[in-house]
Amino acid sequence: MDVNRFLYPFLSTALVGCCGILPFFPYKYIIKHSNNDGFVSLKLLAMYFATGCLVSEIFLHLLPEIWRIALSQDQMDEYSLKWIAKVCLGGFIVFLLGDKLFSLIMSAPEDTNGGEGDSFSTIGYLNVFANIMDNFVHALSITTSYSNGIRNGIITTCVIIIHEIPHEIGDFSILLQSGFSLNTALKLQLLTSIGGISGVAIGLFSQEFLTEDTLFILSAITGGFFYIVCASCLPEILNESSRSKSRSFISETSLFLLGTLITGVISVFC
């Protein structure tokens, strides 16, 4: 048995998973050296960056990736495109229903995590679920790349890490804005590694890359991320913008555009 066939994909997936905990350390430093009002302002500014990253993730990474996989299939027709659109819509609806269900379940312990409201807390959980599935797809890609050679596997791992760093900063910001404490956000980010482990295991023991299943998962993730943007990110920053002073407009807009630009450039060139 070739040990490297199992070792390299797991190590690479673990390395990608570590990106999820990187934002913990700068946030911990900022909390230690700032008052509560300063940290609240920081979370709001980080939310602008997170929204930019997520919007760019949807339109410049996920949708083009779905299109690329779809075109690689032998039988690509109008029915396939409609099927992809239906799955995206299905992901949006599932996240909507999940949000409502979580809101009902969590209606009693409203302030357990120090949250600002049930809707924000449920969005945090939904974001974790979406990232578990996202990590699953990344792990499948890494495992498949290693099956074509160690060099290909390492290149794929590096590209995913470069892409994940701004995305994970956005995810961490969404969790904090959802009302979770710093330590709880760290634990939830570590929880998303379940998707990576599952993806490696399935990738190793499957005979070929599950193209159709990956297409289905990516389409559902896109719908879920789109719901998070529409239901939480955009309403939050627009609501705060209506109450903020004019001098904060430049910094808020700049962070949104920065998040969009960074994720967009990485998606295009990597």
Side-chain angles (χ1 to χ4, degrees), residues 126-142:
L126 290 172
N127 190 62
V128 169
F129 175 74
N131 280 299
I132 288 176
M133 301 307 297
D134 194 34
N135 287 342
F136 177 82
V137 174
H138 286 156
L140 279 177
S141 300
I142 290 172

Side-chain angles (χ1 to χ4, degrees), residues 149-260:
I150 295 178
R151 182 177 180 274
N152 289 332
I154 293 175
I155 291 174
T156 300
T157 302
C158 292
V159 169
I160 291 177
I161 288 175
I162 293 171
H163 168 76
E164 278 295 286
I165 290 175
H167 180 72
E168 294 295 352
I169 293 173
D171 291 336
F172 213 93
S173 301
I174 289 174
L175 290 176
L176 292 177
Q177 191 69 22
S178 297
F180 296 107
S181 67
L182 191 64
N183 290 331
T184 302
L186 176 63
K187 293 175 182 178
L188 289 173
Q189 286 290 83
L190 290 174
L191 181 64
T192 60
S193 62
I194 293 175
I197 295 172
S198 302
V200 172
I202 292 177
L204 287 172
F205 293 104
S206 62
Q207 294 297 318
E208 58 183 8
F209 188 57
L210 308 176
T211 305
E212 292 186 1
D213 292 341
T214 303
L215 188 63
F216 175 85
I217 294 170
L218 282 175
S219 300
I221 291 173
T222 301
F225 279 151
F226 193 67
Y227 176 78
I228 291 172
V229 170
C230 293
S232 178
C233 296
L234 286 178
E236 178 72 9
I237 63 176
L238 290 174
N239 184 48
E240 291 296 331
S241 295
S242 65
R243 300 200 300 261
S244 63
K245 297 180 180 180
S246 58
R247 66 171 179 269
S248 65
F249 173 80
I250 296 178
S251 58
E252 293 169 349
T253 305
S254 298
L255 282 170
F256 176 83
L257 293 177
L258 179 63
T260 305

Side-chain angles (χ1 to χ4, degrees), residues 86-108:
K86 290 176 181 177
V87 174
C88 288
L89 177 60
F92 186 95
I93 294 174
V94 167
F95 271 63
L96 171 62
L97 296 177
D99 192 3
K100 295 301 180 184
L101 180 61
F102 282 144
S103 296
L104 291 174
I105 294 175
M106 299 173 62
S107 58

Side-chain angles (χ1 to χ4, degrees), residues 49-66:
F49 179 80
T51 305
C53 288
L54 203 51
V55 169
S56 188
E57 172 84 0
I58 293 170
F59 290 103
L60 297 180
H61 178 245
L62 288 174
L63 288 177
E65 182 68 11
I66 291 171

